[in-house]
Each structure stands twice: as structure tokens, then as C-alpha cells.
Amino acid sequence: MAKKILVTGGTGYIGSHTVVELQMAGYDVVIIDNLSNSNIEVLDNIAKITGIAPEFEKFDLTELDKTIDFFKRYSGIEAVIHFAASKAVGESVEIPLHYYRNNLVSLINMLECMEKFDVPNIVFSSSCTVYGQPDKLPVTEQTPRKDAESPYGNTKRVNEDILNHTLNANPHLRGIALRYFNPIGAHESALIGELPLGVPNNLVPFITQTAAGLRDGLKVFGDDYNTPDGSAIRDYINVVDLAKAHVIAIERLLKGKNKSNYEVFNLGTGNGYSVLEIVKTFEKATGIKLNYKIVGRREGDIEKIWADTTYANEELGWKAEKGLEETLLSAWNWEKNIRGIK
Ligand code: UD1
């Protein structure tokens, strides 16, 4: 019988791509999502890609009673991938308590239920934001974490600690925290992708919306950084590559191949690209001229970061495969699909 995996936040951006890869690998998936930042139609589009509609439960994981009730109704879950969280950096500065309640309480409730209902495995969505601006590049998993720049970033750091301490105290539980660098792009079918509500904060959705005519122009935040062209550098990773790493992490836990009961992996490509390089590569991949202008730095931004991928490559046997051009093209194909552009 297929093993059952619970994916919280499974209708969201990274969640939906991961559900597809799990189903393709033969797993049964049940999703919990409160649809606060995603759309129910994602379920149909997942089914169009894989031929299988995942089971779905709509509720908020901060409600412990509902979470317990879920586990009473669904037996046989072998592992959890916990994506469900609020993720807008700027918003987290304005409404910090919402971020702390939503992101921390949902993980705490999940871990309590895993103990109570004997679900031993969890993969947690963390972020390279926990490194802040590292003193040395590229960053390995041993690079020290720094104080977070935002409440959002702090929820990732505190949640890593909550997970680590809980797993230490419960040797029958095992978990992996995956620190994502900058996920971009969309599924090659263009049926699922990133769907930001309102004005996008992240670079690539802003670029694709500008190309689609929804935004007048892109603002490049800063050209006076200590980088070759002066714009800030990030490690942009294709969301399908990222999703595949989750399937490998799940297999690692289910087969007991983990080396300790709390492990951490960086998920990036190992390559850093500047904002201006992203703009130029997007123009090359799509043939569209982007309207952009250089403005001042964005508050809270770091100068440069990229991953050392050695540990993930060797220990997980996973490597990001897709190139930047095809990834940016996939983001554009998704934008065209949702806007009805031919
Ligand atoms: C942010 C978060 C990160 C989170 C990620 C995905 C921080 C410091 N970073 O990453 O934790 O996981 O979003 O949600 O908390 N840029 C422009 N113009 C724009 C938009 C962005 O020039 O209109 C630049 C930014 O200044 C930055 C780069 O593009 O240098 C990438 O920005 P963005 O996509 O927002 O990601 P991060 O800030 O790296």
C-alpha cells in the first residue's frame, strides 16, 4: 500500500509542487491548508498534472482541537511536511503577533499531535534567512545563525529550535529542517506556480507581472552593494528541484537513513546571481525588454548569499538540475497562463 504523507500548506507555492513530486513518486498525499494565501483550484491543477486528486482538509493548524480531530480521522500517516506558515517579511514587521501565533503555534500543535498519534517523521520548511548576512560565503550548514532581521525570519529560527528540542526529548521522533535559498519558477506544465496576493514583494513575480503589463516597471533595490555589478546577490533555486529534495528527505526518514534525529540541509544551487543578472537572463530567455530603474536599497536586505551545496549533494544524493534561463522561462509561462497571454 502507498505510504501516506501529510502536507500542510500543500496548496501553496512550494507545497503544491511538492505534492506533485510526492504523488509521482508513488505516495498518497493528504493536504491541510486554510487557504489564507492560496486557492482551492490548485487541487484540480495538481490532479491535471498527476492524474490524482490529493485528499484535502481546510482548517487552521493553530486550532488544536481541529488538528487533533484530523489525526483521529486520518490514521496511518507516516510523515508530515510542514509548509503552512505566513511568509511576507514586511507584513511580519507590521503584525508580528500574527506571525508568531500562526507560525509557532501551528508547529507546536503539529508536534503535539505527532507525539500523541505516533507519527514519527517531519520535514520542516526553513529558510536561509536564519544565516542573516554571513561573514563567510558560501554558507554551509555549520555557518552560525544570526539574529533575525524580521519577525518572519525569527519564526523560522525559533521553529528550528522548537523542532530540535522536541526531537531531542523524543528519540522516537525524527525530523529534517530544509533551509531554502530563493525558490523561483513554476512547474513545466504551467498549471501550478507562485500566485502572490496584491503587489509582489519577491523579485521574480514582480518581473513576470511587469512583463505581463500589470506593473509599470521593476525597481532594482540598490546598485551600490559590494558585488561585481553593485546589485544584491542571491541563490535562486527552481521550485521543482526544491520539491524533489522533499521527496528525498521523506525517503531518508522513512528508511531510517538519517544520521541523527534532527538534521539540517541547505537547499540551493551553489550559484549566486545579482538582481541585474536576473533581469538580463529573463530578457534573454523570453525576448521581452523589461522596464526597470535603479532605486535605493530595500530596508532589511542583505548584500549577498549563496549556498554551499556539498552536504546536500553528498548526503541526500540530490542536486539542483535546472538552469536559470529555463527556470525564468517557466515563471514567465506560468504568468502567461494565469493572465491568458498567448
Ligand atoms: C525574502 C526573504 C526570505 C524568504 C524569501 C521568499 C529575508 C531577508 N528574505 O528573500 O527569507 O524566504 O523572501 O519569500 O527575509 N528585489 C528588487 N526589486 C523587487 C524585489 C526584489 O530589486 O521589486 C531584490 C531584493 O532587493 C533582493 C532580491 O531582489 O536583492 C531578491 O528579493 P526577494 O525575491 O524579495 O527575496 P529575498 O529578500 O532574498
Side-chain angles (χ1 to χ4, degrees), residues 181-183 233-237 268-273 305-307 309:
F181 283 67
N182 286 56
I233 293 178
R234 299 287 185 273
D235 184 337
Y236 295 91
I237 175 165
T269 66
N271 302 312
Y273 288 99
I305 190 166
W306 61 93
T309 62

Side-chain angles (χ1 to χ4, degrees), residues 68-305:
I68 290 173
D69 176 64
F70 168 87
F71 279 98
K72 283 186 180 153
R73 288 183 292 114
Y74 285 81
S75 60
I77 291 173
E78 305 217 11
V80 178
I81 307 182
H82 184 57
F83 290 106
S86 304
K87 63 166 188 176
V89 176
E91 186 184 60
S92 79
V93 177
E94 283 155 29
I95 45 171
L97 283 179
H98 171 79
Y99 273 68
Y100 284 112
R101 179 184 296 280
N102 199 33
N103 294 4
L104 271 52
V105 175
S106 62
L107 177 67
I108 292 168
N109 286 348
M110 183 54 64
L111 290 168
E112 276 182 6
C113 284
M114 287 171 61
E115 281 179 11
K116 195 174 162 74
F117 293 93
D118 220 8
V119 177
N121 302 304
I122 180 164
V123 173
F124 172 66
S125 287
S126 192
S127 166
C128 71
T129 195
V130 298
Y131 297 116
Q133 176 59 67
D135 299 329
K136 220 174 115 209
L137 287 167
V139 284
T140 73
E141 288 77 358
Q142 272 68 51
T143 298
R145 298 181 308 172
K146 288 202 169 158
D147 285 347
E149 295 277 348
S150 68
Y152 157 77
N154 203 32
T155 68
K156 290 295 174 192
R157 185 190 163 109
V158 174
N159 269 348
E160 284 193 354
D161 293 342
I162 290 173
L163 185 58
N164 187 7
H165 299 160
T166 306
L167 298 174
N168 268 332
N170 295 277
H172 60 285
L173 296 183
R174 300 177 284 269
I176 295 177
L178 298 175
R179 292 180 180 155
Y180 313 147
F181 283 67
N182 286 56
I184 60 165
H187 193 264
E188 62 182 9
S189 64
L191 287 165
I192 53 173
E194 191 170 6
L195 199 58
L197 292 178
V199 182
N201 294 309
N202 294 119
L203 177 62
V204 171
F206 206 103
I207 288 178
T208 56
Q209 289 199 6
T210 303
L214 275 80
R215 311 278 154 215
D216 290 340
L218 170 74
K219 294 187 183 107
V220 173
F221 296 135
D223 70 346
D224 56 351
Y225 285 110
N226 181 23
T227 61
D229 66 21
S231 63
I233 293 178
R234 299 287 185 273
D235 184 337
Y236 295 91
I237 175 165
N238 184 292
V239 67
V240 175
D241 280 338
L242 193 69
K244 287 179 177 163
H246 291 75
V247 178
I248 293 171
I250 285 291
E251 273 162 12
R252 181 177 178 88
L253 292 173
L254 292 180
K255 291 185 180 154
K257 288 196 284 186
N258 51 307
K259 293 216 163 124
S260 61
N261 71 337
Y262 173 65
E263 294 185 304
V264 174
F265 292 96
N266 284 343
L267 296 183
T269 66
N271 302 312
Y273 288 99
S274 72
V275 177
L276 289 171
E277 282 175 317
I278 296 292
V279 168
K280 286 187 186 116
T281 310
F282 180 85
E283 290 184 332
K284 181 161 173 260
T286 61
I288 297 169
K289 190 95 196 73
L290 261 191
N291 181 29
Y292 72 89
K293 67 172 178 194
I294 315 271
V295 300
R297 295 181 180 191
R298 181 171 71 178
E299 204 188 330
D301 269 351
I302 59 161
E303 183 166 85
K304 52 189 164 194
I305 190 166

